[in-house]
Amino acid sequence: MIAIGGDHASLELKAEIIEHLKGRGIEAKDFGTYTKESCDYPDIAKLVANAVLSGECEKGILICGTGIGISIAANRIKGIRCALCGDCFSAQATREHNDSNILALGARVTAGGLALKIVDTWLDTPFSEGPRHKQRIAKIEEM
Ligand code: RB5
């Protein structure tokens, strides 16, 4: 199960991703927002982060206009490693090196087709388990 959420800027892309995941046989739990009414992205970041940390969802996807605000918010929560990606190379590298558990996307920055490729790359790339990467992640978790 993948947790997904975003602010009012995320609605179309969020729906597109949920549909895409469904096509791949992956269930997504939508933590909102559900309307165009302006809302605060930290509230959504917290819901998705908690779903990932509790184990309810395996990974999370967060979306706001730029992806910046919502990734900043998510990364304030201990145990969350949220990576804002606008390309597939970064999506692959952040799974292999950072074992990121949330992907952030900017709905006003990254167009749908590319965003879906980024989602696929991120979901399909395992953590490398490399000792140097584990050591760096452990240092992050100690901060
Ligand atoms: C909302 O207008 C916008 O500020 C938000 O979606 C995001 O881009 C913030 O980082």
Side-chain angles (χ1 to χ4, degrees):
M1 173 87 80
I2 300 299
I4 189 164
D7 71 0
H8 48 282
S10 77
L11 290 184
E12 287 85 2
L13 182 58
K14 177 158 66 70
E16 219 180 313
I17 292 172
I18 292 170
E19 204 47 40
H20 178 71
L21 292 178
K22 204 172 167 188
R24 287 192 51 181
I26 300 170
E27 206 182 332
K29 181 162 180 183
D30 186 356
F31 287 86
T33 188
Y34 307 107
T35 71
K36 285 266 179 201
E37 195 184 329
S38 182
C39 70
D40 298 333
Y41 53 77
D43 298 335
I44 307 288
K46 202 171 175 179
L47 293 174
V48 168
N50 286 337
V52 172
L53 291 177
S54 71
E56 180 190 0
C57 295
E58 186 193 320
K59 289 191 183 81
I61 298 174
L62 284 170
I63 308 162
C64 69
T66 57
I68 296 172
I70 208 154
S71 58
I72 290 173
N75 279 318
R76 294 296 302 271
I77 300 171
K78 204 171 171 58
I80 292 299
R81 292 178 302 283
C82 176
L84 170 58
C85 296
D87 64 90
C88 293
F89 177 84
S90 299
Q92 182 180 333
T94 187
R95 285 291 309 128
E96 287 174 346
H97 295 192
N98 318 123
D99 196 16
S100 50
N101 47 15
I102 296 185
L103 168 69
L105 294 163
R108 294 175 179 152
V109 181
T110 308
L114 175 57
L116 297 182
K117 284 270 179 212
I118 291 170
V119 166
D120 283 343
T121 304
W122 188 76
L123 286 178
D124 295 343
T125 304
F127 177 48
S128 69
E129 302 286 345
R132 70 181 193 280
H133 298 308
K134 283 186 170 173
Q135 181 178 305
R136 291 162 190 164
I137 291 167
K139 286 186 179 183
I140 292 171
E141 295 309 327
E142 279 165 18
M143 292 172 98

